[in-house]
Amino acid sequence: QQQVKQSPQSLIVQKGGISIINCAYENTAFDYFPWYQQFPGKGPALLIAIRPDVSEKKEGRFTISFNKSAKQFSLHIMDSQPGDSATYFCAASYGNEKLTFGTGTRLTIIP
Amino acid sequence: DAGITQSPRHKVTETGTPVTLRCHQTENHRYMYWYRQDPGHGLRLIHYSYGVKDTDKGEVSDGYSVSRSKTEDFLLTLESATSSQTSVYFCAISERQGNPYEQYFGPGTRLTVT
């Protein structure tokens, strides 16, 4: 049973554009929502994370938007750059150390 | 990769043979995890450890066992490898103090079972 659904599976965005990746969850007990970035041949690395007591968190060009009532959260990458080309995973956790990951989005930024 | 090494980095093995993957950390973190990554499935937790000799199952634990005899080492064993266990395996670590739940991942081990 997939508890975190991620879309789209792949995404192509022009340089300078906005990349948007969406995730939806089912378990209302989730209280921590991180996004991980993975480059080819590397392990995932934490990019940004949010807790459900805020609706938005911004770090540089990366923003998480959180909609508790809809049980959805999304990653926005502003002014997307070729160096942002990677696979992005959303995840969720509830009060413990175990993370449930989405299926991943392969992002390609074209010139 | 946050002081995490995995060995071997690549391995090809035959169906039915035992395989052990090793994760070694130099961060003295309490929690260690084994994930497998497959296309269309993301990262799925196999087993995790919350201390020396303390381990628990994840969502895809069948066919795998783990051991942790020292803080720095977490071993994943496939007792009798099957083709369905062909995957990329990642080890991760975390520590409750500081930034809770943030997991740091190793570089991965690509395992092919023929």
Side-chain angles (χ1 to χ4, degrees):
Chain A
Q1 180 184 359
Q2 185 184 353
Q3 297 191 55
V4 179
K5 294 184 179 181
Q6 184 171 347
S7 62
Q9 187 174 358
S10 62
L11 180 63
I12 299 174
V13 175
Q14 277 203 310
K15 180 182 175 181
I18 302 174
S19 304
I20 301 174
I21 304 171
N22 300 299
C23 282
Y25 62 96
E26 299 167 359
N27 190 340
T28 55
F30 285 141
D31 64 354
Y32 175 71
F33 302 89
W35 284 90
Y36 279 77
Q37 180 187 54
Q38 183 181 28
F39 293 105
K42 302 290 186 180
L46 180 66
L47 184 63
I48 186 173
I50 197 169
R51 294 197 180 273
D53 53 345
V54 297
S55 60
E56 185 175 283
K57 183 174 182 180
K58 184 176 181 179
E59 290 184 2
R61 296 184 293 107
F62 300 90
T63 300
I64 299 179
S65 296
F66 186 81
N67 186 329
K68 189 174 182 178
S69 61
K71 294 188 288 185
Q72 295 176 346
F73 59 110
S74 60
L75 176 69
H76 296 239
I77 306 174
M78 312 300 288
D79 187 26
S80 299
Q81 299 297 312
D84 297 329
S85 296
T87 299
Y88 293 81
F89 293 95
C90 63
S93 175
Y94 55 95
N96 58 33
E97 296 71 30
K98 292 192 288 185
L99 289 172
T100 300
F101 284 87
T103 52
T105 296
R106 178 174 292 183
L107 174 65
T108 303
I109 308 301
I110 58 175
Chain B
D1 292 315
I4 308 169
T5 56
Q6 293 185 231
S7 59
R9 294 294 313 280
H10 300 87
K11 186 171 182 66
V12 180
T13 192
E14 293 185 348
T15 298
T17 60
V19 177
T20 296
L21 308 182
R22 180 183 183 235
C23 177
H24 179 78
Q25 61 145 329
T26 58
E27 306 296 324
N28 200 35
H29 280 14
R30 177 182 176 189
Y31 299 92
M32 299 186 75
Y33 313 80
W34 277 108
Y35 292 90
R36 59 178 291 174
Q37 182 175 19
D38 305 287
H41 291 278
L43 291 145
R44 293 180 292 175
L45 183 64
I46 305 172
H47 282 280
Y48 70 104
S49 170
Y50 45 95
V52 174
K53 297 186 179 180
D54 292 322
T55 64
D56 204 352
K57 297 179 179 180
E59 62 177 300
V60 290
S61 60
D62 288 348
Y64 302 95
S65 63
V66 291
S67 65
R68 191 172 179 196
S69 59
K70 298 185 291 185
T71 298
E72 57 266 35
D73 290 325
F74 193 32
L75 303 180
L76 176 70
T77 297
L78 291 66
E79 299 291 346
S80 178
T82 67
S83 59
S84 65
Q85 293 176 312
T86 292
S87 186
V88 180
Y89 291 85
F90 287 99
C91 173
I93 64 174
S94 70
E95 184 56 75
R96 272 211 161 203
Q97 295 176 1
N99 194 0
Y101 312 146
E102 177 172 359
Q103 295 187 14
Y104 302 90
F105 284 80
T109 294
R110 183 173 295 275
L111 176 67
T112 302
V113 183
T114 61

